[in-house]
Amino acid sequence: MDISSYMDFFVRLARETGDRKREFLELGRKAGRFPAASTSNGEISIWCSNDCLGMGQHPDVLDAMKRAVDEYGGGSGGSRNTGGTNHFHVALEREPAEPHGKEDAVLFTSGYSANEGSLSVLAGAVDDCQVFSDSANHASIIDGLRHSGARKHVFRHNDGRHLEELLAAADRDKPKFIALESVHSMRGDIAPLAEIAGLAKRYGAVTFLDEVHAVGMYGPGGAGIAARDGVHCEFTVVMGTLAKAFGMTGGYVAGPAVLMDAVRARARSFVFTTALPPAVAAGALAAVRHLRGSDEERRRPAENARLTHGLLRERGIPVLSDRSPIVPVLVGEDRMCKRMSALPLERHGAYVQAIDAPSVPAGEEILRIAPSAVHETEEIHRFVDALDGIWSELGAARRV
């Protein structure tokens, strides 16, 4: 096969599988004015950012980053094993372990690499491990479990009864490992953590809880849903990110020291990756520490989400779940979903991204709205009014 034939293969592949070219909106978030951002067509307002508390713009975070740049420069200089470990990395590993009730934590460069790297070790190092994975788990969990080589059983999303059926049918003498998310990244619903913790105890299973969309947002000091519900000590390993509520980038896993030592020694996405720049780690540390002592930032997005959910319900616009600040509006058709994203931007300067496959299954396309701590009540009313008009214009289905 020559180069031309190689290229033609991917053209055919895209045509056969329905792959479309991904398009990204180039924008610049306005420092100190989030959710405002600049684009080539002027200023817009962002309605789909994961920086839901605005911590990426917080003065404490920016000051910490500037001081770290002045003291340590730009990059980290290498992987954690080859001279790239800065004291901010060490402090950032100590900080989340205590509120999660864990002995130790390991810092990764992203949430994706934290899941993929740690799961490949924790589920793969033990012979004959049987993994039980939620059907709607994030791609990073799926990839980590795939790379572990462990035998995988998939239970229906947030369905404790189905999970118990699978656990009961499995070989009782083989090690068992349950992996799930607390707040689902796209649906915004919340897992029955107490029920699953009880099942894990009954069947002797190790548990891995992804709290990406919960850390910083829920529980004492922002420790997550499990901490909010008083069951955080029932989960063996907890994973979190620094890229959502904390407004930065990076991820971590927290758990027993012996497991964290194994992750440091064996996780390829940790060992072979350049460490986070010290300034990024310093900013993340400032965000984590601020949210451990402040509830105000968490209160606002919860209020704004309730308002958004209520206004959408009044208009019959279908929302998949109203249990978290993630507001997933179901469109269910790819082309319409893209138009539903494009028109608010063109007419009202409101940016909300259409989410399609592979992020959600084909036919379940959504607008993933994320009203943040810094959106005002009047802005929410105007946004929902604009979406309501576009919903009618495009003839999208409503709930009666």
Side-chain angles (χ1 to χ4, degrees), residues 20 49 64 71 98 126 139 174 272 294 315 330 385 392:
R20 294 181 178 87
S49 174
E71 187 169 0
E98 187 272 329
V126 179
K174 289 185 177 180
F272 297 105
S294 174
R315 291 157 173 79
L330 179 64
D385 286 343
S392 295

Side-chain angles (χ1 to χ4, degrees), residues 183-195:
V183 180
H184 191 263
S185 59
M186 293 297 158
R187 301 170 189 235
D189 52 3
I190 297 175
L193 297 188
E195 179 185 7

Side-chain angles (χ1 to χ4, degrees), residues 331-365:
V331 180
E333 199 280 318
D334 183 62
R335 292 183 184 279
M336 181 178 288
C337 198
K338 285 182 168 59
R339 289 294 290 158
M340 204 74 75
S341 170
L343 291 177
L345 183 62
E346 293 172 8
R347 297 175 182 176
H348 306 280
Y351 173 50
V352 57
Q353 183 59 45
I355 305 296
D356 56 10
S359 299
V360 294
E364 298 181 18
E365 290 79 7

Side-chain angles (χ1 to χ4, degrees), residues 50 74 80 85 88 118 129 154-155 223 227 230 241 246 268 301 305-306 312 322 348 364-365 378 380 400:
N50 281 325
R80 296 285 298 279
T85 295
F88 284 120
S118 60
C129 184
V154 178
F155 61 94
T241 186
F246 298 120
R268 296 169 71 85
R306 281 195 294 271
L312 292 169
D322 62 359
H348 306 280
E364 298 181 18
E365 290 79 7
E378 295 78 11
I380 295 172
V400 179

Side-chain angles (χ1 to χ4, degrees), residues 243-265:
K244 306 299 193 282
F246 298 120
M248 297 298 297
T249 192
Y252 64 87
V253 288
V258 65
L259 298 186
M260 298 301 98
D261 287 342
V263 169
R264 282 194 184 90

